Amino acid sequence: MQTATEKNGKILLRVRPRGFCAGVVRAVDIVELALEAYGAPVYVHHEIVHNTYVVEQLRRRGAIFVEAISDVPNGNVLVFSAHGVATDRSPGSQGSITASDRRDLPAGHQVHLEALKFAREKRTIILIGHKDHQEIVGTSGEAPDRTICR
């Protein structure tokens, strides 16, 4: 849900905090289903959620968490974290997925799609959080020229 504030001819849209959202639940479920379907190991790009208990449970079942897609041996199952993954959209970008990394893997996330939509509308996107945190890196990487991190 969004709330809006208008001041000096500008409108600020605020999105409520998402917390332990449906996307996180789906991401954990996907790792568990992948482990059941394919067996261990299942590689996961970044820790799936910021919850030590959940991450450790998945590790015990055979999930291997990696920071770089290049750390996943070819032919293995890879699941992206609930944080989403930025595509490399600008020269010199530190985006997580480049064309050579992609290997026909999907990279999409609802927040990323919203960032792209707002960028296309020439809006400025203000992300509140740590600029080096995976959620912020992932989302800002979708529209780096339209995004401010605070």
Side-chain angles (χ1 to χ4, degrees):
M1 175 178 250
Q2 297 177 350
T3 57
T5 304
E6 185 172 350
K7 187 173 184 180
N8 300 328
K10 294 185 180 183
I11 298 173
L12 173 66
L13 297 176
R14 290 182 306 270
V15 180
R16 284 188 182 169
R18 298 176 67 90
F20 204 69
C21 64
V24 169
V25 173
R26 281 192 305 269
V28 171
D29 287 347
I30 288 168
V31 173
E32 290 174 342
L33 288 170
L35 285 163
E36 288 172 20
Y38 301 104
V42 167
Y43 289 83
V44 183
H45 189 239
H46 301 304
E47 290 189 350
I48 196 83
V49 295
H50 296 298
N51 183 308
T52 305
Y53 175 78
V54 171
V55 169
E56 288 305 316
Q57 291 290 99
L58 292 171
R59 269 197 183 105
R60 282 189 209 115
R61 292 191 57 203
I64 298 174
F65 298 93
V66 297
E67 292 303 310
I69 295 170
S70 60
D71 292 337
V72 180
N74 282 330
N76 282 271
V77 176
L78 171 63
V79 177
F80 292 116
S81 73
H83 308 122
V85 179
T87 53
D88 189 353
R89 295 194 185 277
S90 62
S93 167
Q94 295 300 310
S96 297
I97 294 182
T98 62
S100 62
D101 287 333
R102 197 168 168 83
R103 296 188 243 160
D104 296 320
L105 298 169
H109 191 269
Q110 186 62 37
V111 174
H112 294 205
L113 297 175
E114 290 292 313
L116 286 170
K117 175 184 148 217
F118 290 138
R120 277 189 225 107
E121 295 171 358
K122 305 286 189 225
R123 293 185 184 198
T124 299
I125 302 158
I126 302 171
L127 295 175
I128 310 294
H130 300 284
K131 70 177 180 148
D132 295 327
H133 199 264
Q134 288 127 352
E135 289 100 328
I136 301 299
V137 170
T139 304
S140 64
E142 296 297 339
D145 297 336
R146 304 290 313 165
T147 304
I148 298 169
C149 298
R150 296 283 183 228

